[in-house]
Amino acid sequence: MARTTRNRPFRCRNCGLDVPSDAPGTAHRNHCPHCLWSRHVDETPGDRRAEADCGSSMEPIAVHVRSNGEWALVHRCAGCRTIHLNRIAGDDNPLPLLRLAVKPLAQPPFPLDWLNTI
Ligand SMILES: [Zn+2]
Ligand SMILES: [Zn+2]
């Protein structure tokens, strides 16, 4: 049986959810649809860099919008600090997604009043 290691169900290490392998809207699921945490595994076949063996949890730290308007999650590995971009899935929890998206606006590095003076 030629089953790859990619599409296997996994248990989320952050919230404990058993995550099924099928994800609507994406070829393979790489993060928890509930809390959006991921795991640092080798996602690129043939990528032989040492980071592939990391296995640490990856924290969702931001939302990135691709040029075609598609949202992607920015994950940072808690172990080796590597940054990954991952497509969101159709059943991802919209609440933590939106929380990540508005985070910079909720905590601007300058007073928003400045916008009136520009
Ligand atoms: Zn989770
Ligand atoms: Zn890592």
Side-chain angles (χ1 to χ4, degrees):
M1 210 163 84
R3 255 199 99 161
T4 64
T5 54
R6 292 177 127 224
N7 277 349
R8 258 188 282 170
F10 62 93
R11 172 162 293 179
C12 175
R13 280 211 242 155
N14 185 53
C15 72
L17 183 78
D18 279 314
V19 183
S21 54
D22 299 322
T26 179
H28 67 280
R29 191 195 288 284
N30 50 34
H31 59 266
C32 172
H34 178 66
C35 68
L36 309 181
W37 279 63
S38 183
R39 242 186 96 183
H40 195 182
V41 290
D42 186 7
E43 292 177 20
T44 317
D47 185 353
R48 276 172 295 175
R49 281 176 295 169
E51 67 167 69
D53 302 305
C54 178
S56 299
S57 297
M58 297 192 83
E59 182 187 2
I61 56 170
V63 165
H64 168 71
V65 184
R66 298 185 198 266
S67 52
N68 62 0
E70 186 183 65
W71 277 26
L73 268 171
V74 183
H75 281 114
R76 184 182 57 205
C77 178
C80 66
R81 318 311 277 176
T82 295
I83 302 277
H84 274 187
L85 272 183
N86 291 304
R87 295 181 66 178
I88 63 169
D91 61 349
D92 279 349
N93 189 346
L95 206 62
L97 274 178
L98 284 175
R99 236 182 242 140
L100 284 174
V102 301
K103 209 172 181 182
L105 290 175
Q107 299 168 327
F110 47 80
L112 287 181
D113 291 347
W114 286 10
L115 294 179
N116 295 327
T117 63
I118 297 176

